[in-house]
Amino acid sequence: MKRIGVMTSGGDSPGMNACIRAVVRGAIHNGMEVYGIRRGFEGLIDGEVEEMHIASVADIIHRGGTILRTARSDRFLEEDGFSRAVNMLDTFGIEGVAVIGGDGSLRGAADMDLAGVPVMGLPGTIDNDLAYTDYTIGFDTAVNTALMAIGNTRDTSSSHGRTTIIEVMGRYCGDIALYAGLAGGAETILVPEEPLDLASISKKLLIGKNRGKLHSIIIKAEGVDMPSDELSRILEERTGLETKVVILGYIQRGGSPTARDRLMASRIGYRAVELLRDGSTSKAIGIRGEEIIACDIHDALKMPKLSNAAEIIELSDILS
Ligand code: F6P
């Protein structure tokens, strides 16, 4: 391939810029032209496409967000929008596309693949909800942001003798809560993968109080089937302990990416270029162990995400 495109799509994640940089500079290094597609599939439909150069990605490796911007596109899901997007690639002579995004974006890429567009799916989401890869770009930064929030909240919860529920993102996946909860020494971790047991949470809080604990941190994934304020009210009623709620929200999606996210983004981005250069297509790229892998994008999206929630929660219960 001589001319490729790169886009970011769906929710942004820290490390997307490092990945764009790797695709752009990797492509140029390999003698290819590279075009940036702005605002994901939405921008592609509208022809927001521009050639990128080495200098286009200067000074971005450490920045959160995405210089290409992003969007969630309803139009791409319609027949008309979809065919406009595919035709736009032809208009600009783009022979293959690297799509950096989460589950929905990679499904969009897989649809384009079925329409004959050579694609590479690159995992960029804080949620870590893609089964075919151990980690997604942005997850590590989000976990570290949540970890910092746990630390700060612990200080004030301890001063006031309160219980605090910290709600983290992740859509239907509990990984941010699990990793930040275990690393942050949270007393309780609640995720959608495990049943919500109000009696056992309340009992744990009271046992903690009776052995002199000044505070308790509950880290709760947003996918848990009970709003945090309702949970807080129920726990206050059951335990008599003052219970506050902190919803981290979009704070987790921004900030300078960690070294791990930058490294993964750089390696994954460059592998996408190598594969496109060699005429390979229909791949989802990820990481297993320390190895960068590429598998069929359709197979990748069919894999069920295996959860280690029970094991992590058990360990957290033992240690907290
Ligand atoms: O997929 C990333 C994510 O941040 C999820 O954790 C969250 O549920 C969702 O996006 C929020 O989406 P939006 O940016 O559209 O509000």
Side-chain angles (χ1 to χ4, degrees):
M1 276 178 214
K2 284 282 164 229
R3 182 178 294 174
I4 64 168
V6 57
M7 69 159 84
T8 50
S9 163
D12 61 351
S13 69
M16 278 184 161
N17 278 330
C19 197
I20 295 167
R21 173 179 178 269
V23 172
V24 170
R25 292 193 171 166
I28 293 169
H29 174 75
N30 280 280
M32 290 186 270
E33 292 174 1
V34 57
Y35 279 65
I37 300 161
R38 295 197 185 279
R39 295 195 307 118
F41 296 114
E42 190 70 4
L44 180 58
I45 293 169
D46 293 334
E48 295 177 25
V49 180
E50 208 177 295
E51 187 170 1
M52 298 182 84
H53 307 279
I54 287 181
S56 315
V57 290
D59 206 24
I60 65 166
I61 194 168
H62 59 294
R63 296 214 178 127
T66 158
I67 58 161
L68 289 175
R69 305 191 53 224
T70 187
R72 299 194 189 276
S73 178
D74 290 333
R75 284 196 293 160
F76 184 73
L77 303 175
E78 308 287 332
E79 215 179 302
D80 181 54
F82 181 79
S83 54
R84 277 177 66 94
V86 171
N87 290 339
M88 201 57 79
L89 293 170
D90 189 47
T91 301
F92 282 91
I94 294 170
E95 297 163 279
V97 190
V99 177
I100 308 166
D103 185 62
S105 306
L106 266 50
R107 284 184 199 282
D111 287 344
M112 289 211 297
D113 175 73
L114 293 176
V117 176
V119 297
M120 291 292 147
L122 285 65
T125 168
I126 62 166
D127 297 343
N128 208 38
D129 57 350
L130 292 165
Y132 75 92
T133 178
D134 289 349
Y135 294 106
T136 55
I137 298 162
F139 172 68
D140 188 60
T141 308
V143 167
N144 279 287
T145 302
L147 196 56
M148 186 200 66
I150 294 175
N152 291 3
T153 306
R154 183 190 294 284
D155 293 343
T156 173
S157 299
S158 175
S159 307
H160 288 265
R162 286 170 175 162
T163 298
T164 308
I165 299 168
I166 303 179
E167 181 184 302
V168 297
M169 278 187 166
R171 209 179 283 271
Y172 306 113
C173 178
D175 280 13
I176 297 177
L178 291 166
Y179 281 61
L182 182 60
E187 278 71 21
T188 303
I189 304 173
L190 305 176
V191 293
E193 291 87 344
E194 291 294 312
L196 182 67
D197 182 346
L198 294 168
S200 94
I201 304 168
S202 308
K203 186 172 157 201
K204 191 163 188 212
L205 289 171
L206 290 170
I207 290 173
K209 180 189 159 202
N210 293 341
R211 74 171 159 90
K213 244 181 175 330
L214 289 177
H215 69 277
S216 210
I217 301 286
I218 298 174
I219 184 143
K220 170 180 174 284
E222 66 176 351
V224 170
D225 196 19
M226 178 180 281
S228 295
D229 51 357
E230 189 182 341
L231 178 65
S232 153
R233 190 179 46 73
I234 293 173
L235 292 179
E236 263 189 6
E237 258 169 39
R238 281 182 176 242
T239 64
L241 296 166
E242 189 182 14
T243 304
K244 297 284 182 186
V245 175
V246 176
I247 296 180
L248 290 192
Y250 296 103
I251 289 170
Q252 294 154 100
R253 287 237 300 251
S256 183
T258 59
R260 187 188 180 97
D261 276 332
R262 296 184 204 188
L263 288 170
M264 201 170 35
S266 302
R267 293 177 71 200
I268 285 176
Y270 190 71
R271 178 59 56 84
V273 168
E274 286 180 321
L275 289 167
L276 287 169
R277 176 199 65 196
D278 298 343
S280 179
T281 180
S282 324
K283 296 281 185 294
I285 306 176
I287 188 159
R288 286 195 202 134
E290 282 307 311
E291 200 194 335
I292 302 297
I293 55 104
C295 52
D296 178 84
I297 192 164
H298 305 283
D299 292 344
L301 294 172
K302 276 186 213 132
M303 288 180 194
K305 168 102 176 148
L306 301 176
S307 170
N308 53 358
E311 183 195 325
I312 292 188
I313 289 172
E314 189 186 350
L315 179 58
S316 160
D317 281 343
I318 295 167
L319 302 181
S320 65

